[in-house]
Amino acid sequence: MPSLHHLLEQNERWASEMVARDPECFFRLSHQQAPQYLWIGCADSRVPANQITGLAPGEVFVHRNVANLVIHTDLNMLSVLQYAVDALGIRDIIVCGHYGCGGVRAALEGKPLGLIDNWLRHIQDLARQSRAELSALPSPDARIARLCELNVIEQVLHVAETTVVTSAWARHQPITVHGWIYDVGDGRIRDLGVELSSLDDLERHRRPPV
Ligand code: CO
């Protein structure tokens, strides 16, 4: 018996139930995908994009990494983004972080974890930029929670600054970048109110020049 047998069994059951509900669903999905949303989220196992938004297979294009980072030179992320915008014509891009993010916590605590420290360095840079705001908070947990939010806002800006999105806006292709945060403690998503839909929006949200 193969290991992970239980997962294959669960898959068999799930596929049968899907067909029982909608006999054509896999036929349709095998011919095309037409998702309306691109989700950029954390790799954390507690934050599955489809389940927490109630979306079915085919409805959301997903990119996840540790701490939902959008790094300017990350070819993996850029390829997902370019395909989503140019080929799939996605209009809404959601950056969704989450409270209690282990990546954000590790970055703030600074305990060495190995290779991943290099990835988390980006969050440490952000923590340094936000030192005044973070140090005014009463507890380490409050600082981690706020840094989780600031990280989402920063990554929304990074999405908007990519050549993929700025070029799309320049040719008047409608795209909105949203910043959300999920609470693993109650299952609720909060909109952080940062929403960019144009080059003008980006300009308004850009940090002042240093
Ligand atoms: Co996380």
Side-chain angles (χ1 to χ4, degrees):
M1 186 179 291
S3 55
L4 303 184
H5 181 69
H6 58 296
L7 295 187
L8 299 176
E9 261 181 13
Q10 280 169 212
N11 165 256
E12 190 58 49
R13 232 180 355 259
W14 170 80
S16 304
E17 285 166 10
M18 289 283 288
V19 171
R21 269 203 301 273
D22 177 359
E24 302 291 310
C25 67
F26 291 118
F27 177 79
R28 274 199 316 276
L29 286 169
S30 67
H31 284 77
Q32 68 155 2
Q33 64 162 340
Q36 290 187 37
Y37 317 99
L38 167 61
W39 176 277
I40 299 175
C42 184
D44 192 301
S45 63
R46 298 165 296 179
V47 196
N50 284 74
Q51 273 162 290
I52 66 174
T53 52
L55 291 171
E59 294 184 332
V60 58
F61 202 57
V62 174
H63 177 78
R64 292 169 66 181
N65 61 40
V66 171
N68 43 272
L69 294 182
V70 175
I71 306 304
H72 305 302
T73 52
D74 177 357
L75 272 181
N76 183 355
M77 177 279 300
L78 289 169
S79 302
V80 169
L81 183 63
Q82 192 251 325
Y83 190 75
V85 168
D86 294 346
L88 297 172
I90 276 172
R91 288 176 171 225
D92 290 291
I93 301 170
I94 299 155
V95 177
C96 188
H98 67 103
Y99 293 118
C101 183
V104 172
R105 178 181 294 275
L108 210 52
E109 290 177 346
K111 272 190 238 140
L113 294 171
L115 175 75
I116 196 172
D117 297 344
N118 300 284
W119 182 253
L120 299 179
R121 184 73 59 196
H122 296 287
I123 305 177
Q124 291 179 330
D125 291 344
L126 178 62
R128 200 169 46 246
Q129 287 164 33
S130 316
R131 188 158 36 197
E133 179 180 351
L134 293 173
S135 60
L137 294 170
S139 66
D141 283 350
R143 284 191 278 280
I144 290 167
R146 182 57 183 152
L147 189 54
C148 288
E149 295 175 353
L150 292 172
N151 184 43
V152 169
I153 295 165
E154 180 76 4
Q155 307 317 319
V156 165
L157 284 166
H158 288 186
V159 171
E161 285 165 339
T162 59
T163 54
V164 176
V165 172
T166 55
S167 307
W169 279 337
R171 60 177 183 263
H172 304 294
Q173 183 176 338
I175 292 174
T176 301
V177 191
H178 310 258
W180 290 359
I181 193 152
Y182 176 75
D183 191 333
V184 292
D186 68 8
R188 304 299 161 101
I189 294 170
R190 269 184 54 211
D191 189 333
L192 286 171
V194 50
E195 206 168 278
L196 306 184
S197 301
S198 66
L199 291 168
D200 286 345
D201 283 352
L202 172 59
E203 214 46 58
R204 267 195 296 280
H205 278 83
R206 254 192 188 132
R207 290 127 294 178
V210 282

